[in-house]
């Protein structure tokens, strides 16, 4: 199996954690890491792991004779908005881990043909990666009029970007609950908890279900989805069996299923409690591999 | 002989139609808003807060759905009030700037932006948006018992630098005792005094809401929260009518007339309460272990559903350090207490 050449743009915590994960990929050949500060911890770590590093943004990366086929963007929304046209002009596929959300949302366990083919895909949010697969698992067996998620992360794992744009999280995640999760209406809530020692990432999914839904069918769909997500996020697990509530007039006569999720990080570069960051980088690797399959297929054809 | 000057006045914000929303499981109707606002306004209350208990956008599975869209309630309150300003609560992570704009369009003129006491920096975009809308801005540092005065003062500074004209020490868990209140309000006042006011929001879980409010005044607070009959989360809030009576006795002006506010409490709000706020076992456990007051009704439902003692759920929630908004974790706690621990 030939590997697809890949680069990471953005040498912060996310980019560095992503590097460790991409280096284990059988489909992607990570060769470059791009930052802005040559003495940054991320670029030093990358050099120590044999990557070619540039500290002038994407300029040199894109001007060389040897360019990546996939770029993972772990900078900021503003930087990605500037870089995205350059990638597109160079025919490079982009996996966007920023909130820029130019392309369609990519959640690996719910991947669509659109994601396989789009020049640019967006990884939604950490809370979205943890919960949308479950919303999709419910909506593939019954109508979900309304899907709601609550994502609790350790304050220690919330960087300045997240903090400055908390509305972006709620809006983007709510949109993705609908578009990818298949709920007719979506809502997202994010909570930061500063407790010491830091809490593991937690997420809860609430979906409305019709009064006549089969709880067995919903449960088995959710359990199957848990297994699918665990293939690329080993620390992902349901804390308990799905909880079903009887239809309630306060909910407009629908029933409810509640799914309690915990995400433990793999501890590659970031602490294990930061499951919110781990699930983003793990999912990005998986999306990159799906795109690599597609690109390899094109080459073979 | 020196002239005696009157002590500073305080402004009481009544939150019956916001914190009281918890005690009514967010089933507040337009005619109730009209009746409460009419009574508060006639009594001289200057600020009336109207929102889902968990703030704008709080209507949800996690917190409970509003019976009537809160924006309709805000509009109705603004149309009813002849003098009082209408305030809304916004908790970043739950509500967004879009919700804030809708509340503003419906007639709200004050916004109280709340974060957990260590997370003030997530409110900056909301303060900026509130200023752009010309809303009066108040910061709300929830669960203030969780950190000391110095750290609380630093967080208050972040809110003031973001645009807050007042920052509240919010005793969301009703966990503060007198010295704790004095130290925190004093610490915040020392940091932001001169630039912004300090407020205090008390709960009655340990029976100290009113006493803490008096202590807070002594330490520099000039805005104080109450709810009629104490209608609010946990054992309820400092009762507005008691605050009025006590501050009147202390010679501190509130601008609120005693007899009308007593009538508002007794004749308007008491009949609409599903349950009277009360320091029962669950509420005291909340105060003692520092549990977010609005967890109470959620924990009662989980206790009944999973047959686990209420006070044990609340104690576990306190020990785990859950913060406001993590109502989903109550289900998690109840389920885990029901199930034997997994082997392995």
């Amino acid at each position: 199996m030939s590997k697809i050449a890949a680069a990471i743009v953005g040498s912060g915590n996310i980019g560095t954690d992503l590097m460790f994960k991409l280096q284990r990929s059988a489909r992607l050949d990570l060769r470059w890491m791009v930052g802005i500060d040559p003495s940054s911890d991320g670029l030093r770590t990358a050099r120590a792991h044999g990557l070619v590093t540039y500290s002038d943004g994407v300029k040199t990366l894109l001007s060389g004779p040897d360019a990546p086929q996939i770029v993972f963007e772990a900078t900021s929304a503003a930087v990605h908005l500037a870089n995205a046209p350059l990638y597109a002009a160079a025919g490079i596929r982009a996996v966007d881990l920023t909130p820029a959300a130019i392309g369609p949302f990519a959640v690996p366990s719910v991947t669509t043909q659109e994601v396989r083919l789009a020049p640019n895909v967006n990884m939604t949010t950490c809370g979205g990666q943890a919960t949308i697969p479950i919303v999709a698992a419910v909506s593939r067996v019954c109508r979900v009029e309304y899907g709601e998620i609550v994502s609790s992360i350790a304050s220690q794992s919330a960087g300045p970007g997240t903090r400055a744009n908390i509305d972006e999280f709620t809006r983007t995640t709510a949109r993705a609950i609908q578009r990818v999760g298949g709920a007719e209406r979506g809502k997202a809530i994010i909570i930061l908890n500063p407790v010491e020692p830091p809490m593991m990432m937690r997420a809860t999914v609430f979906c409305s279900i019709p009064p006549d839904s089969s709880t067995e069918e919903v449960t088995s769909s959710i359990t199957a989805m848990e297994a699918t997500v665990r293939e690329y996020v080993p620390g992902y697990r349901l804390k308990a069996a799905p909880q079903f509530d009887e239809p309630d007039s306060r909910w407009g006569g629908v029933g409810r299923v509640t799914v309690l999720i915990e995400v433990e990080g793999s501890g590659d570069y970031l602490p294990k409690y930061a499951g919110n960051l781990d699930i983003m980088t793990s999912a990005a690797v998986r999306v990159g591999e799906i795109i690599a399959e597609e690109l390899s297929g094109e080459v073979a054809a | 002989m020196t002239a005696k000057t009157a002590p500073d006045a305080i402004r009481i914000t009544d939150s019956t139609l916001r914190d009281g929303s918890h005690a009514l499981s967010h089933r507040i109707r337009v005619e109730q808003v009209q009746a409460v606002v009419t009574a508060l306004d006639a009594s001289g209350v200057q600020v009336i807060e109207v929102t889902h208990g968990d703030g704008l956008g709080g209507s949800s599975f996690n917190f409970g759905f509003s019976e009537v869209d809160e924006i309709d309630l805000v509009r109705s309150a603004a149309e009813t009030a002849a003098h009082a300003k209408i305030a809304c609560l916004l908790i970043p992570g739950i509500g967004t700037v879009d919700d804030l704009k809708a509340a503003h369009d419906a007639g709200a003129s004050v916004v109280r932006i709340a974060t957990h006491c260590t997370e003030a920096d997530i409110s900056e975009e909301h303060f900026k948006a509130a200023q752009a809308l010309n809303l009066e801005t108040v910061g709300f540092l929830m669960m203030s018992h969780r950190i000391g005065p110095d750290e609380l003062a630093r967080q208050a500074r972040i809110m003031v630098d973001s645009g807050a004209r007042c920052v509240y020490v919010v005793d969301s868990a009703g966990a503060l005792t007198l010295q704790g209140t004095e130290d925190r309000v004093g610490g915040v006042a020392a940091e932001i005094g001169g630039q912004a006011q300090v407020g205090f929001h008390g709960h009655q879980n340990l029976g100290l809401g009113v006493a803490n409010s008096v202590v807070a005044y002594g330490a520099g607070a000039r805005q104080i929260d109450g709810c009629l009959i104490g209608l609010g989360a946990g054992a309820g809030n400092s009762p507005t009518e008691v605050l009025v009576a006590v501050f009147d006795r202390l010679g501190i002006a509130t601008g609120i007339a005693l007899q009308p506010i007593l009538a508002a409490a007794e004749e308007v709000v008491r009949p609409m309460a599903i349950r009277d706020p009360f320091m029962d076992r669950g509420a005291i456990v909340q105060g003692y272990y520092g549990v977010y007051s609005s967890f109470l009704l959620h924990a009662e439902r989980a206790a009944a559903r999973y047959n686990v003692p209420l006070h044990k759920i609340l104690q576990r929630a306190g020990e785990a350090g859950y913060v406001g908004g993590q109502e989903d974790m109550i289900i998690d706690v109840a389920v885990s207490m029901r199930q034997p621990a997994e082997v392995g």
Side-chain angles (χ1 to χ4, degrees):
Chain A
M1 180 165 31
S2 69
K3 285 193 175 187
I4 298 292
I8 296 170
V9 177
S11 57
N13 282 341
I14 296 271
T16 309
D17 190 72
L18 183 60
M19 178 190 82
F20 285 101
K21 291 180 166 68
L22 281 173
Q23 287 200 313
R24 294 195 292 263
S25 171
R27 287 202 165 270
L28 295 161
D29 177 22
L30 177 65
R31 290 165 54 189
W32 303 269
M33 168 86 98
V34 176
I36 45 172
D37 175 6
S39 64
S40 69
D41 186 50
L43 289 186
R44 271 191 286 114
T45 309
R47 280 193 294 274
H49 283 78
L51 300 193
V52 176
T53 65
Y54 300 125
S55 54
D56 61 345
V58 296
K59 206 169 140 211
T60 312
L61 178 74
L62 299 182
S63 62
D66 192 20
Q69 288 174 273
I70 298 183
V71 159
F72 292 85
E73 181 95 46
T75 55
S76 67
V79 172
H80 184 60
L81 287 171
N83 287 346
L86 306 177
Y87 303 144
I92 299 170
R93 301 282 292 263
V95 178
D96 169 24
L97 286 84
T98 80
I102 297 167
F105 293 132
V107 177
S109 52
V110 202
T111 304
T112 59
Q113 193 63 12
E114 187 188 21
V115 168
R116 287 180 176 272
L117 301 176
N120 187 313
V121 296
N122 177 264
M123 296 305 300
T124 73
T125 63
C126 56
Q129 289 295 341
T131 57
I132 287 162
I134 300 298
V135 177
V138 180
S139 74
R140 71 188 173 189
V141 296
C142 67
R143 181 180 176 201
V144 177
E145 274 179 67
Y146 174 71
E148 174 184 315
I149 72 101
V150 184
S151 176
S152 301
I153 64 173
S155 297
Q156 298 85 341
S157 73
T162 302
R163 290 174 174 276
N165 295 291
I166 206 101
D167 278 12
E168 206 159 54
F169 174 96
T170 52
R171 289 194 192 110
T172 302
T173 310
R175 235 179 15 246
I177 290 168
Q178 293 169 245
R179 286 195 201 157
V180 186
E184 288 161 36
R185 287 178 299 123
K187 181 172 180 64
I189 294 166
I190 182 169
I191 308 293
L192 308 185
N193 185 323
V195 74
E196 289 285 352
M199 59 165 283
M200 204 69 83
M201 183 202 184
R202 295 298 310 269
T204 300
V205 177
F206 299 104
C207 287
S208 73
I209 54 175
D212 57 353
S213 308
S214 155
T215 58
E216 292 79 14
E217 207 182 346
V218 172
T219 298
S220 66
S221 179
I222 290 169
T223 311
M225 185 60 86
E226 179 194 13
T228 306
V229 177
R230 282 177 65 88
E231 286 171 14
Y232 58 92
V233 191
Y236 184 90
R237 62 181 160 261
L238 303 192
K239 284 273 288 177
Q243 302 292 305
F244 290 91
D245 286 286
E246 294 296 319
D248 193 314
S249 59
R250 291 174 305 146
W251 302 336
V254 293
R256 181 179 84 171
V257 59
T258 303
V259 182
L260 302 157
I261 299 159
E262 181 175 85
V263 187
E264 178 178 357
S266 55
D268 284 321
Y269 179 70
L270 301 163
K272 288 192 170 189
Y273 62 77
N276 50 313
L277 304 178
D278 189 79
I279 197 168
M280 282 294 270
T281 54
S282 299
V285 171
R286 184 72 195 105
V287 167
E289 289 177 339
I290 290 168
I291 293 169
E293 279 170 29
E294 195 65 33
L295 292 173
S296 304
E298 281 169 16
V299 171
Chain B
M1 205 170 83
T2 53
K4 252 181 138 179
T5 54
D8 287 358
I10 57 165
R11 187 176 86 172
I12 291 180
T13 293
D14 184 275
S15 187
T16 309
L17 296 171
R18 201 283 300 168
D19 215 320
S21 173
H22 292 298
L24 296 171
S25 295
H26 317 296
R27 319 305 287 167
I28 296 182
R29 299 188 305 273
V30 167
E31 59 272 24
Q32 291 175 316
V33 166
Q34 289 166 336
V36 173
V37 170
T38 300
L40 288 169
D41 200 38
S43 306
V45 171
Q46 295 171 59
V47 184
I48 300 171
E49 189 173 49
V50 184
T51 329
H52 182 284
D54 296 276
L56 293 166
S59 181
S60 58
F61 272 132
N62 197 36
F63 304 121
F65 289 99
S66 301
E67 182 169 314
V68 176
D69 189 312
E70 63 193 346
I71 297 300
D72 293 335
L73 299 182
V74 170
R75 187 175 298 109
S76 155
E79 285 167 2
T80 305
H83 309 287
K85 294 179 176 179
I86 303 304
C88 285
L89 180 74
L90 170 64
I91 304 179
I94 300 173
T96 65
V97 167
D98 302 334
D99 299 315
L100 185 61
K101 287 179 179 156
H104 168 263
D105 291 346
S109 55
V110 180
V111 62
R112 311 210 299 170
I113 302 175
T115 71
H116 183 72
C117 58
T118 54
E119 312 298 317
D121 59 357
I122 66 170
S123 64
E124 195 179 333
E125 62 177 317
H126 309 85
F127 276 112
K128 299 277 180 251
Q131 284 182 308
L133 293 168
N134 264 323
L135 289 161
E136 181 185 329
T137 49
V138 176
F140 236 48
L141 292 168
M142 300 190 289
M143 301 283 271
S144 280
H145 72 282
R146 288 270 289 263
I147 52 175
D150 294 346
E151 173 62 9
L152 201 60
R154 277 193 288 278
Q155 296 287 326
R157 164 57 55 193
I158 293 170
M159 285 186 162
V160 171
D161 288 348
S162 302
R165 285 168 51 191
C166 173
V167 178
Y168 267 68
V169 172
V170 180
D171 185 17
S172 316
L176 286 176
T177 51
L178 303 178
Q179 191 67 52
T181 300
E182 184 175 348
D183 293 346
R184 285 170 177 78
V185 172
V188 171
E191 174 64 35
I192 68 172
Q195 275 179 279
Q197 286 195 316
V198 183
F200 180 76
H201 174 101
H203 278 270
Q204 294 280 59
N205 299 343
L206 297 178
L208 294 173
V210 176
N212 278 336
S213 299
V214 173
V215 166
Y217 177 83
R222 293 295 176 265
Q223 295 195 28
I224 301 286
D225 280 7
C227 295
L228 292 170
I229 74 163
L231 194 72
N237 293 70
S238 318
T240 300
E241 67 278 16
V242 182
L243 290 171
V244 170
V246 168
F247 281 109
D248 186 62
R249 273 282 174 252
L250 294 171
I252 297 158
T254 63
I256 301 170
L258 182 63
Q259 292 306 331
I261 201 77
L262 291 178
E266 204 56 38
E267 294 162 23
V268 180
V269 174
R270 198 172 301 281
M272 71 175 64
I274 300 164
R275 51 193 272 155
D276 279 352
F278 181 64
M279 284 158 266
D280 58 10
R281 185 179 188 173
I284 296 165
V285 165
Q286 288 192 296
Y288 189 81
Y289 289 97
V291 182
Y292 197 65
S293 289
S294 58
F295 282 13
L296 183 62
L297 268 63
H298 298 274
E300 285 180 0
R301 277 191 288 273
R305 160 88 197 266
Y306 295 106
N307 196 27
V308 178
L310 169 68
H311 63 279
K312 290 194 175 168
I313 295 175
L314 291 168
Q315 182 177 337
R316 179 79 67 88
E319 288 166 349
Y322 294 135
V323 302
Q326 292 189 286
E327 272 73 351
D328 56 324
M329 289 299 107
I330 292 165
I331 303 172
D332 187 74
V333 166
V335 169
S336 69
M337 289 176 103
R338 180 198 60 169
Q339 291 173 338
E342 278 181 51
V343 180

